[in-house]
Amino acid sequence: MTDLLRVENLGVAFGLHTGETPALRDVSFRVRGGSTMALVGESGSGKSTVARAIMGLLPGNGRIVSGRILLSDTETGFDWAAGDSHLKHLARIHRPGLDGTLDLTTLDPDGPAMRSIRGGHVAMIFQDPMTSLSPLHTVGNQITDVLDLHTDLPRREHRPVISAMLELVGFADPARALDLYPFELSGGMRQRAMIAMSLIAAPGLLIADEPTSALDVTVQAQILKLIRDLQARLGMAVMLITHDLGVVAHMADEVVVLYRGEVMESGPVSDIYRRPGHPYLRALFRALPRLSTDRTARLVPLREVRSQTAHLLADKEPWPAGADDAGPLLRINDIHKTFTAKKGGPFGGPKATKRAVNGVSLEIRRGDSLGLVGESGCGKTTIGKIIMRAITPESGSIRFNDRGRIVEMLSLNAKAMIPYRRRIQYIFQDPSSALDPRMTVFALIAEPLKIHGIGDKAFRIEMVKELMTLVGLDQRFMNRYPHSFSGGQKQRIGIARALALKPDLVMCDEPVSALDVVVQAQVLNLLKDLQHALGLTYLFVSHNMAVVRYMCNRIAVMCMGRVVEEGPTERVFEHPVHPYTRALLAAVPDPDGDGDWLAGGGAAPNGGPSDPEAWPAPYAVDDDGVAWMRDLGGEHRVLVGSDAAFPEIAA
Amino acid sequence: MYVYLMRRLFTMIASLLAISVLVFVIIQLPPGDFVTAYITELESQGEMVSEEKIAFLRRQYGLDRSPVEQYVDWILGILQGDFGYSFEYNLPVTEVVGDRVLLSIVVNAATILFIYVVSFPLGVYAATHQYTWGDYGLSFLGFLGLATPNFLLALVLLYLANLWFGTSIGGLMDPLYIDQPWSLSKALSVLEHLWVPVLVIGTAGTAGMIRRLRANLLDELNKQYVVTAKAKGMAPRRLLVKYPLRMALNPFIADIGNLLPQVVSGAVIVSAVMSLPTTGPVLLAALQSQDIYLAGSFLLLLAVLTVFGMFVSDLLLAALDPRIRLTSRGRR
């Protein structure tokens, strides 16, 4: 195979107020025709800058300062078998070739030569399919642009060609999809439309910039499988930009590791994964929670945060003996919550309703860490909000064990609720938006104390200092503002704030999903240490199966507002019973997995594993149907819709 | 789409009814009525008015009835094309207003056209050339336009127009044509006089519109879908027109509804200063003398213009933006 793209000693700098800051230094790598190269690194490492430099799409203040980007002509094999009656339209796509090898750095980024390469020879898809398509133009209209620009296909022949392409990327009714607007499609379908658009001119190289990080795991698997299938079929090379080492293991032939704008390591995936040479890469591997390794083995972050408890935090009232006999710390029973979409006006149609939570029961014992997993829209965050009493459910009960006394929280009014707010605290997903940028760290952490009128000024200063030490932050940073901290540090400030009131139960809503792998390990370890040191109970909401496995001793899997399976972590991970749980687990790309992760599942763009009506008996449940949890022994329960016997359960 | 249209028409009629009530109430709010004002005027001229005469006048004008009856009478009349009777002019309201409405519409339509034609290219230029001298210059001119009082600009321009082109001061046509039947030369004379008020009334609106369009377009230019379009290899100009500009048009069109009343109310003062034969000055006088039917009809006319402008802008928005069009149809 020849080198399709060769990047040699590329340097890019960004002009800022303070002068030029280098973003890339001496970056060299190659992408061979028809192969997949993965560019790995944490956020801010310069991955996207590499892609943008190749595409000639650097932002206004960015500039290539050194190096060459060499692109060679490629013959992509659009060889359509006669059997594909519809797809034969695609054979009509013809794109003018390239004369020999071109150095892209010498071209004017907006000039005609670069424009014919962009979208024609090298195409790109982006992270967020919600924003990367124009909301005002139909899918077909946006794809037509590419045919107009890069092929000599006459306009009247566009429709069948685009329709064939949409069929190829998995649209069930491509002729109709052509006239749909992006907002009428789901995230996964939008990304498919985006892929169709980028591939319609038969590019030799597809740059995929985090193509699945905004999507759910099961959808991620579908999209990656699609990219790989198309690659085999169309013969293009793929440059996959990602931070997910699991995805790399299953998708890439070669890997380039980028750290702070420099290439740390590059080579075939198998070599690098077996013997990571550079310390950074080794650290990256050790920081990654996995599905298959020892659950109790501690993650190793690049820099460990040392947590210390001191007197103020330590003297928490001990639980009276026998208080745990009254019941678990929190028991929620048969919670229902329906959201109604407002349809105004005297002529409005019937109200659209969505069952966000449909009869959920859970219990969290003191000292437990319960993981609540599921894909976006499954109702896991709604549960959290209901427990916090930010949302009131239609029916159900929430019983809180207040040191031996059971309190029905849903019957408390706002004022009676206040003492219990101290017992339950919340850690948010996005640390940046959870902290008021106008408050100092001291003001942020001390705010709960102030609200509940605890202690005087001296006490609060002492307490904040202790909390900062607890989460491994330097006490001297007390008067700084949130913007001067990194994402991980901000999340630690959020944790300190949640612990200020010495709560019994802490709800962690996707606490690490906005963080890089290395920082994620740091925060997870901190949360684990704090649980032991302070005797905390966690409700840990996450979509990341590996993280939940590492953090929690019990897990509950949610889908479409229902808990479909729950039990001790080991049992659920080793013997998943429910089809949805299995689909979720199968969709997680494991960096150690040798098998073909994408071989199973993935193909179905509609319905799929998250459609309760598509589950086989006895799991099938229609929306209004009755369903109950069947006990499998060992506290392992699974949702069933009928009494039919289980099909054999794979051990 | 039809449901949307029906709903929109329904709310439009409902809000017009509400406005008519409000207008009537507000006109009735000041103490006294037209007769009181009339008598005060007569007394100030040294005339004595007997109690009987006052009562007679009240009865004649229908002012002795309850406000509700007066309102119902007025509204029912309007539905039949009868806008009531102006006490001040002793003429039916339609005759008092007559030509003035036509001229008002001409001035306002010309002003809105002027605002759009001028601000659109300038706004686009300012956004695509952000932080260049052109952008700074336009911003400066825009602030100047926003800050200059309209009447001052009016006086200066009138003087200059007279000095350079010999245009007669004030009015919308040469004094020769006043009260003459419409003819080609009269229309030409109107055109000759029209540009000054249009420029004066439109300056502030234009300046504001340039700022808004620039800000909208700048927002859109940084959106991800623009990068996507660039990655397709589209040429900058074509890209600009097809994607971000199309998005930036939304607020531009939504503004029609805001612009209409703004332009009409701004025109009152300018019209008074420039003694334009438009509706503004008459409205002012009618309000002062509590000539209820004349003032009420005027205000209602303004309301109709505004509500209609909103309606048109909503329809255009729905035509332009599929998100509005399709989600109103009731998905899911």
Side-chain angles (χ1 to χ4, degrees), chain A residues 172-203:
Chain A
D173 186 355
R176 205 175 79 85
L178 231 112
D179 296 318
L180 290 179
Y181 290 94
F183 65 87
E184 296 176 282
L185 301 171
S186 68
M189 294 317 279
R190 281 185 219 195
Q191 197 60 297
R192 283 170 194 267
M194 197 57 208
I195 292 173
M197 185 166 87
S198 59
L199 296 184
I200 194 101

PDB file of all heavy atoms in Angstrom, chain A residues 172-203:
ATOM      1  N   ALA A 172     -33.804   3.502   5.991  1.00  0.00           N
ATOM      2  CA  ALA A 172     -34.761   2.496   5.535  1.00  0.00           C
ATOM      3  C   ALA A 172     -35.540   3.005   4.321  1.00  0.00           C
ATOM      4  O   ALA A 172     -35.839   2.261   3.405  1.00  0.00           O
ATOM      5  CB  ALA A 172     -35.712   2.147   6.668  1.00  0.00           C
ATOM      6  N   ASP A 173     -35.866   4.297   4.326  1.00  0.00           N
ATOM      7  CA  ASP A 173     -36.646   4.860   3.231  1.00  0.00           C
ATOM      8  C   ASP A 173     -35.880   6.064   2.667  1.00  0.00           C
ATOM      9  O   ASP A 173     -36.200   7.218   2.941  1.00  0.00           O
ATOM     10  CB  ASP A 173     -38.020   5.297   3.763  1.00  0.00           C
ATOM     11  CG  ASP A 173     -38.941   5.749   2.645  1.00  0.00           C
ATOM     12  OD1 ASP A 173     -38.484   5.811   1.487  1.00  0.00           O
ATOM     13  OD2 ASP A 173     -40.112   6.036   2.938  1.00  0.00           O
ATOM     14  N   PRO A 174     -34.834   5.793   1.861  1.00  0.00           N
ATOM     15  CA  PRO A 174     -33.935   6.873   1.457  1.00  0.00           C
ATOM     16  C   PRO A 174     -34.628   7.956   0.639  1.00  0.00           C
ATOM     17  O   PRO A 174     -34.285   9.134   0.760  1.00  0.00           O
ATOM     18  CB  PRO A 174     -32.855   6.165   0.635  1.00  0.00           C
ATOM     19  CG  PRO A 174     -33.416   4.838   0.291  1.00  0.00           C
ATOM     20  CD  PRO A 174     -34.404   4.496   1.339  1.00  0.00           C
ATOM     21  N   ALA A 175     -35.618   7.592  -0.162  1.00  0.00           N
ATOM     22  CA  ALA A 175     -36.262   8.600  -1.000  1.00  0.00           C
ATOM     23  C   ALA A 175     -36.964   9.641  -0.134  1.00  0.00           C
ATOM     24  O   ALA A 175     -36.995  10.828  -0.458  1.00  0.00           O
ATOM     25  CB  ALA A 175     -37.258   7.935  -1.931  1.00  0.00           C
ATOM     26  N   ARG A 176     -37.500   9.188   0.994  1.00  0.00           N
ATOM     27  CA  ARG A 176     -38.174  10.119   1.891  1.00  0.00           C
ATOM     28  C   ARG A 176     -37.144  10.899   2.702  1.00  0.00           C
ATOM     29  O   ARG A 176     -37.299  12.101   2.939  1.00  0.00           O
ATOM     30  CB  ARG A 176     -39.105   9.356   2.829  1.00  0.00           C
ATOM     31  CG  ARG A 176     -40.252  10.179   3.375  1.00  0.00           C
ATOM     32  CD  ARG A 176     -41.174   9.310   4.198  1.00  0.00           C
ATOM     33  NE  ARG A 176     -40.633   9.087   5.524  1.00  0.00           N
ATOM     34  CZ  ARG A 176     -40.810   9.941   6.539  1.00  0.00           C
ATOM     35  NH1 ARG A 176     -41.502  11.029   6.364  1.00  0.00           N
ATOM     36  NH2 ARG A 176     -40.297   9.674   7.729  1.00  0.00           N
ATOM     37  N   ALA A 177     -36.071  10.208   3.096  1.00  0.00           N
ATOM     38  CA  ALA A 177     -35.046  10.836   3.931  1.00  0.00           C
ATOM     39  C   ALA A 177     -34.442  12.054   3.237  1.00  0.00           C
ATOM     40  O   ALA A 177     -34.057  13.025   3.879  1.00  0.00           O
ATOM     41  CB  ALA A 177     -33.953   9.829   4.267  1.00  0.00           C
ATOM     42  N   LEU A 178     -34.395  11.990   1.921  1.00  0.00           N
ATOM     43  CA  LEU A 178     -33.832  13.092   1.147  1.00  0.00           C
ATOM     44  C   LEU A 178     -34.523  14.417   1.447  1.00  0.00           C
ATOM     45  O   LEU A 178     -33.906  15.467   1.425  1.00  0.00           O
ATOM     46  CB  LEU A 178     -34.036  12.756  -0.329  1.00  0.00           C
ATOM     47  CG  LEU A 178     -32.833  12.847  -1.227  1.00  0.00           C
ATOM     48  CD1 LEU A 178     -32.462  11.488  -1.693  1.00  0.00           C
ATOM     49  CD2 LEU A 178     -33.133  13.717  -2.400  1.00  0.00           C
ATOM     50  N   ASP A 179     -35.831  14.347   1.691  1.00  0.00           N
ATOM     51  CA  ASP A 179     -36.590  15.577   1.894  1.00  0.00           C
ATOM     52  C   ASP A 179     -36.828  15.891   3.366  1.00  0.00           C
ATOM     53  O   ASP A 179     -37.623  16.760   3.687  1.00  0.00           O
ATOM     54  CB  ASP A 179     -37.945  15.470   1.174  1.00  0.00           C
ATOM     55  CG  ASP A 179     -37.741  15.360  -0.315  1.00  0.00           C
ATOM     56  OD1 ASP A 179     -36.877  16.081  -0.838  1.00  0.00           O
ATOM     57  OD2 ASP A 179     -38.422  14.526  -0.950  1.00  0.00           O
ATOM     58  N   LEU A 180     -36.140  15.178   4.243  1.00  0.00           N
ATOM     59  CA  LEU A 180     -36.294  15.467   5.670  1.00  0.00           C
ATOM     60  C   LEU A 180     -35.306  16.541   6.095  1.00  0.00           C
ATOM     61  O   LEU A 180     -34.244  16.698   5.505  1.00  0.00           O
ATOM     62  CB  LEU A 180     -36.060  14.204   6.498  1.00  0.00           C
ATOM     63  CG  LEU A 180     -37.134  13.125   6.405  1.00  0.00           C
ATOM     64  CD1 LEU A 180     -36.735  11.941   7.269  1.00  0.00           C
ATOM     65  CD2 LEU A 180     -38.487  13.662   6.827  1.00  0.00           C
ATOM     66  N   TYR A 181     -35.678  17.258   7.132  1.00  0.00           N
ATOM     67  CA  TYR A 181     -34.766  18.227   7.722  1.00  0.00           C
ATOM     68  C   TYR A 181     -34.015  17.548   8.863  1.00  0.00           C
ATOM     69  O   TYR A 181     -34.552  16.636   9.498  1.00  0.00           O
ATOM     70  CB  TYR A 181     -35.542  19.432   8.245  1.00  0.00           C
ATOM     71  CG  TYR A 181     -36.101  20.276   7.140  1.00  0.00           C
ATOM     72  CD1 TYR A 181     -37.401  20.080   6.678  1.00  0.00           C
ATOM     73  CD2 TYR A 181     -35.318  21.257   6.525  1.00  0.00           C
ATOM     74  CE1 TYR A 181     -37.911  20.845   5.640  1.00  0.00           C
ATOM     75  CE2 TYR A 181     -35.826  22.016   5.493  1.00  0.00           C
ATOM     76  CZ  TYR A 181     -37.116  21.809   5.052  1.00  0.00           C
ATOM     77  OH  TYR A 181     -37.596  22.564   4.026  1.00  0.00           O
ATOM     78  N   PRO A 182     -32.791  17.998   9.135  1.00  0.00           N
ATOM     79  CA  PRO A 182     -31.999  17.317  10.165  1.00  0.00           C
ATOM     80  C   PRO A 182     -32.718  17.192  11.503  1.00  0.00           C
ATOM     81  O   PRO A 182     -32.577  16.185  12.190  1.00  0.00           O
ATOM     82  CB  PRO A 182     -30.765  18.203  10.295  1.00  0.00           C
ATOM     83  CG  PRO A 182     -30.626  18.851   8.968  1.00  0.00           C
ATOM     84  CD  PRO A 182     -32.017  19.037   8.449  1.00  0.00           C
ATOM     85  N   PHE A 183     -33.530  18.193  11.880  1.00  0.00           N
ATOM     86  CA  PHE A 183     -34.155  18.107  13.206  1.00  0.00           C
ATOM     87  C   PHE A 183     -35.234  17.029  13.264  1.00  0.00           C
ATOM     88  O   PHE A 183     -35.751  16.730  14.328  1.00  0.00           O
ATOM     89  CB  PHE A 183     -34.729  19.467  13.635  1.00  0.00           C
ATOM     90  CG  PHE A 183     -35.863  19.952  12.793  1.00  0.00           C
ATOM     91  CD1 PHE A 183     -37.165  19.576  13.088  1.00  0.00           C
ATOM     92  CD2 PHE A 183     -35.639  20.790  11.718  1.00  0.00           C
ATOM     93  CE1 PHE A 183     -38.209  20.022  12.312  1.00  0.00           C
ATOM     94  CE2 PHE A 183     -36.682  21.240  10.935  1.00  0.00           C
ATOM     95  CZ  PHE A 183     -37.966  20.851  11.237  1.00  0.00           C
ATOM     96  N   GLU A 184     -35.557  16.466  12.122  1.00  0.00           N
ATOM     97  CA  GLU A 184     -36.537  15.380  12.132  1.00  0.00           C
ATOM     98  C   GLU A 184     -35.876  14.016  12.314  1.00  0.00           C
ATOM     99  O   GLU A 184     -36.542  12.994  12.297  1.00  0.00           O
ATOM    100  CB  GLU A 184     -37.347  15.392  10.834  1.00  0.00           C
ATOM    101  CG  GLU A 184     -38.184  16.653  10.670  1.00  0.00           C
ATOM    102  CD  GLU A 184     -38.910  16.713   9.342  1.00  0.00           C
ATOM    103  OE1 GLU A 184     -38.279  17.034   8.326  1.00  0.00           O
ATOM    104  OE2 GLU A 184     -40.111  16.438   9.325  1.00  0.00           O
ATOM    105  N   LEU A 185     -34.543  14.014  12.429  1.00  0.00           N
ATOM    106  CA  LEU A 185     -33.811  12.762  12.560  1.00  0.00           C
ATOM    107  C   LEU A 185     -33.203  12.644  13.946  1.00  0.00           C
ATOM    108  O   LEU A 185     -32.912  13.646  14.591  1.00  0.00           O
ATOM    109  CB  LEU A 185     -32.676  12.700  11.529  1.00  0.00           C
ATOM    110  CG  LEU A 185     -33.066  12.800  10.048  1.00  0.00           C
ATOM    111  CD1 LEU A 185     -31.819  12.934   9.203  1.00  0.00           C
ATOM    112  CD2 LEU A 185     -33.856  11.580   9.640  1.00  0.00           C
ATOM    113  N   SER A 186     -32.964  11.412  14.385  1.00  0.00           N
ATOM    114  CA  SER A 186     -32.290  11.198  15.666  1.00  0.00           C
ATOM    115  C   SER A 186     -30.795  11.465  15.487  1.00  0.00           C
ATOM    116  O   SER A 186     -30.309  11.586  14.363  1.00  0.00           O
ATOM    117  CB  SER A 186     -32.506   9.769  16.125  1.00  0.00           C
ATOM    118  OG  SER A 186     -31.822   8.895  15.257  1.00  0.00           O
ATOM    119  N   GLY A 187     -30.073  11.541  16.607  1.00  0.00           N
ATOM    120  CA  GLY A 187     -28.638  11.825  16.543  1.00  0.00           C
ATOM    121  C   GLY A 187     -27.888  10.827  15.670  1.00  0.00           C
ATOM    122  O   GLY A 187     -27.063  11.198  14.840  1.00  0.00           O
ATOM    123  N   GLY A 188     -28.193   9.547  15.843  1.00  0.00           N
ATOM    124  CA  GLY A 188     -27.506   8.518  15.072  1.00  0.00           C
ATOM    125  C   GLY A 188     -27.793   8.649  13.583  1.00  0.00           C
ATOM    126  O   GLY A 188     -26.907   8.515  12.748  1.00  0.00           O
ATOM    127  N   MET A 189     -29.065   8.937  13.234  1.00  0.00           N
ATOM    128  CA  MET A 189     -29.419   9.070  11.826  1.00  0.00           C
ATOM    129  C   MET A 189     -28.780  10.308  11.218  1.00  0.00           C
ATOM    130  O   MET A 189     -28.391  10.326  10.061  1.00  0.00           O
ATOM    131  CB  MET A 189     -30.949   9.120  11.659  1.00  0.00           C
ATOM    132  CG  MET A 189     -31.661   7.838  12.026  1.00  0.00           C
ATOM    133  SD  MET A 189     -30.861   6.335  11.443  1.00  0.00           S
ATOM    134  CE  MET A 189     -31.413   6.272   9.752  1.00  0.00           C
ATOM    135  N   ARG A 190     -28.664  11.373  12.016  1.00  0.00           N
ATOM    136  CA  ARG A 190     -27.985  12.570  11.508  1.00  0.00           C
ATOM    137  C   ARG A 190     -26.544  12.274  11.173  1.00  0.00           C
ATOM    138  O   ARG A 190     -26.017  12.724  10.163  1.00  0.00           O
ATOM    139  CB  ARG A 190     -28.012  13.680  12.559  1.00  0.00           C
ATOM    140  CG  ARG A 190     -29.307  14.391  12.607  1.00  0.00           C
ATOM    141  CD  ARG A 190     -29.205  15.532  13.577  1.00  0.00           C
ATOM    142  NE  ARG A 190     -30.459  15.613  14.307  1.00  0.00           N
ATOM    143  CZ  ARG A 190     -30.821  16.652  15.021  1.00  0.00           C
ATOM    144  NH1 ARG A 190     -30.019  17.670  15.134  1.00  0.00           N
ATOM    145  NH2 ARG A 190     -31.964  16.668  15.649  1.00  0.00           N
ATOM    146  N   GLN A 191     -25.904  11.482  12.071  1.00  0.00           N
ATOM    147  CA  GLN A 191     -24.509  11.166  11.804  1.00  0.00           C
ATOM    148  C   GLN A 191     -24.411  10.304  10.550  1.00  0.00           C
ATOM    149  O   GLN A 191     -23.474  10.434   9.767  1.00  0.00           O
ATOM    150  CB  GLN A 191     -23.876  10.480  13.028  1.00  0.00           C
ATOM    151  CG  GLN A 191     -22.359  10.471  13.053  1.00  0.00           C
ATOM    152  CD  GLN A 191     -21.735  11.862  13.057  1.00  0.00           C
ATOM    153  OE1 GLN A 191     -21.889  12.632  12.122  1.00  0.00           O
ATOM    154  NE2 GLN A 191     -21.002  12.178  14.100  1.00  0.00           N
ATOM    155  N   ARG A 192     -25.399   9.444  10.321  1.00  0.00           N
ATOM    156  CA  ARG A 192     -25.412   8.654   9.083  1.00  0.00           C
ATOM    157  C   ARG A 192     -25.560   9.569   7.872  1.00  0.00           C
ATOM    158  O   ARG A 192     -24.898   9.375   6.847  1.00  0.00           O
ATOM    159  CB  ARG A 192     -26.567   7.639   9.113  1.00  0.00           C
ATOM    160  CG  ARG A 192     -26.285   6.442   9.983  1.00  0.00           C
ATOM    161  CD  ARG A 192     -27.525   5.602  10.169  1.00  0.00           C
ATOM    162  NE  ARG A 192     -27.340   4.642  11.248  1.00  0.00           N
ATOM    163  CZ  ARG A 192     -26.909   3.394  11.065  1.00  0.00           C
ATOM    164  NH1 ARG A 192     -26.637   2.964   9.858  1.00  0.00           N
ATOM    165  NH2 ARG A 192     -26.741   2.593  12.097  1.00  0.00           N
ATOM    166  N   ALA A 193     -26.439  10.561   7.988  1.00  0.00           N
ATOM    167  CA  ALA A 193     -26.617  11.508   6.882  1.00  0.00           C
ATOM    168  C   ALA A 193     -25.314  12.249   6.615  1.00  0.00           C
ATOM    169  O   ALA A 193     -24.918  12.486   5.471  1.00  0.00           O
ATOM    170  CB  ALA A 193     -27.725  12.504   7.220  1.00  0.00           C
ATOM    171  N   MET A 194     -24.635  12.602   7.707  1.00  0.00           N
ATOM    172  CA  MET A 194     -23.356  13.309   7.606  1.00  0.00           C
ATOM    173  C   MET A 194     -22.341  12.428   6.868  1.00  0.00           C
ATOM    174  O   MET A 194     -21.584  12.901   6.019  1.00  0.00           O
ATOM    175  CB  MET A 194     -22.916  13.576   9.053  1.00  0.00           C
ATOM    176  CG  MET A 194     -21.870  14.605   9.301  1.00  0.00           C
ATOM    177  SD  MET A 194     -22.245  16.220   8.694  1.00  0.00           S
ATOM    178  CE  MET A 194     -20.563  16.758   8.445  1.00  0.00           C
ATOM    179  N   ILE A 195     -22.324  11.143   7.198  1.00  0.00           N
ATOM    180  CA  ILE A 195     -21.395  10.214   6.548  1.00  0.00           C
ATOM    181  C   ILE A 195     -21.742  10.103   5.064  1.00  0.00           C
ATOM    182  O   ILE A 195     -20.857  10.143   4.202  1.00  0.00           O
ATOM    183  CB  ILE A 195     -21.451   8.837   7.245  1.00  0.00           C
ATOM    184  CG1 ILE A 195     -20.863   8.946   8.651  1.00  0.00           C
ATOM    185  CG2 ILE A 195     -20.703   7.787   6.434  1.00  0.00           C
ATOM    186  CD1 ILE A 195     -21.022   7.707   9.495  1.00  0.00           C
ATOM    187  N   ALA A 196     -23.034  10.018   4.766  1.00  0.00           N
ATOM    188  CA  ALA A 196     -23.447   9.950   3.361  1.00  0.00           C
ATOM    189  C   ALA A 196     -22.952  11.173   2.609  1.00  0.00           C
ATOM    190  O   ALA A 196     -22.448  11.084   1.489  1.00  0.00           O
ATOM    191  CB  ALA A 196     -24.969   9.863   3.275  1.00  0.00           C
ATOM    192  N   MET A 197     -23.066  12.327   3.254  1.00  0.00           N
ATOM    193  CA  MET A 197     -22.653  13.568   2.612  1.00  0.00           C
ATOM    194  C   MET A 197     -21.152  13.579   2.359  1.00  0.00           C
ATOM    195  O   MET A 197     -20.694  14.001   1.304  1.00  0.00           O
ATOM    196  CB  MET A 197     -23.039  14.751   3.493  1.00  0.00           C
ATOM    197  CG  MET A 197     -22.757  16.082   2.874  1.00  0.00           C
ATOM    198  SD  MET A 197     -23.601  17.375   3.781  1.00  0.00           S
ATOM    199  CE  MET A 197     -22.392  17.729   5.013  1.00  0.00           C
ATOM    200  N   SER A 198     -20.399  13.080   3.329  1.00  0.00           N
ATOM    201  CA  SER A 198     -18.949  13.162   3.171  1.00  0.00           C
ATOM    202  C   SER A 198     -18.442  12.144   2.158  1.00  0.00           C
ATOM    203  O   SER A 198     -17.406  12.351   1.536  1.00  0.00           O
ATOM    204  CB  SER A 198     -18.263  12.965   4.519  1.00  0.00           C
ATOM    205  OG  SER A 198     -18.618  11.712   5.046  1.00  0.00           O
ATOM    206  N   LEU A 199     -19.169  11.047   1.970  1.00  0.00           N
ATOM    207  CA  LEU A 199     -18.654   9.998   1.091  1.00  0.00           C
ATOM    208  C   LEU A 199     -19.187  10.071  -0.331  1.00  0.00           C
ATOM    209  O   LEU A 199     -18.737   9.335  -1.199  1.00  0.00           O
ATOM    210  CB  LEU A 199     -18.987   8.618   1.680  1.00  0.00           C
ATOM    211  CG  LEU A 199     -18.310   8.318   3.013  1.00  0.00           C
ATOM    212  CD1 LEU A 199     -18.626   6.911   3.466  1.00  0.00           C
ATOM    213  CD2 LEU A 199     -16.805   8.511   2.905  1.00  0.00           C
ATOM    214  N   ILE A 200     -20.123  10.965  -0.587  1.00  0.00           N
ATOM    215  CA  ILE A 200     -20.812  10.946  -1.873  1.00  0.00           C
ATOM    216  C   ILE A 200     -19.870  11.268  -3.036  1.00  0.00           C
ATOM    217  O   ILE A 200     -20.083  10.841  -4.161  1.00  0.00           O
ATOM    218  CB  ILE A 200     -22.028  11.897  -1.852  1.00  0.00           C
ATOM    219  CG1 ILE A 200     -22.958  11.633  -3.044  1.00  0.00           C
ATOM    220  CG2 ILE A 200     -21.623  13.327  -1.858  1.00  0.00           C
ATOM    221  CD1 ILE A 200     -24.160  10.840  -2.721  1.00  0.00           C
ATOM    222  N   ALA A 201     -18.792  12.015  -2.739  1.00  0.00           N
ATOM    223  CA  ALA A 201     -17.861  12.329  -3.827  1.00  0.00           C
ATOM    224  C   ALA A 201     -16.703  11.332  -3.871  1.00  0.00           C
ATOM    225  O   ALA A 201     -15.681  11.598  -4.505  1.00  0.00           O
ATOM    226  CB  ALA A 201     -17.337  13.747  -3.670  1.00  0.00           C
ATOM    227  N   ALA A 202     -16.852  10.208  -3.209  1.00  0.00           N
ATOM    228  CA  ALA A 202     -15.841   9.158  -3.215  1.00  0.00           C
ATOM    229  C   ALA A 202     -14.453   9.669  -2.830  1.00  0.00           C
ATOM    230  O   ALA A 202     -13.506   9.571  -3.602  1.00  0.00           O
ATOM    231  CB  ALA A 202     -15.780   8.481  -4.588  1.00  0.00           C
ATOM    232  N   PRO A 203     -14.305  10.221  -1.620  1.00  0.00           N
ATOM    233  CA  PRO A 203     -13.004  10.735  -1.209  1.00  0.00           C
ATOM    234  C   PRO A 203     -12.023   9.602  -0.937  1.00  0.00           C
ATOM    235  O   PRO A 203     -12.432   8.495  -0.594  1.00  0.00           O
ATOM    236  CB  PRO A 203     -13.326  11.492   0.082  1.00  0.00           C
ATOM    237  CG  PRO A 203     -14.507  10.789   0.639  1.00  0.00           C
ATOM    238  CD  PRO A 203     -15.307  10.330  -0.545  1.00  0.00           C
TER     239      PRO A 203
END
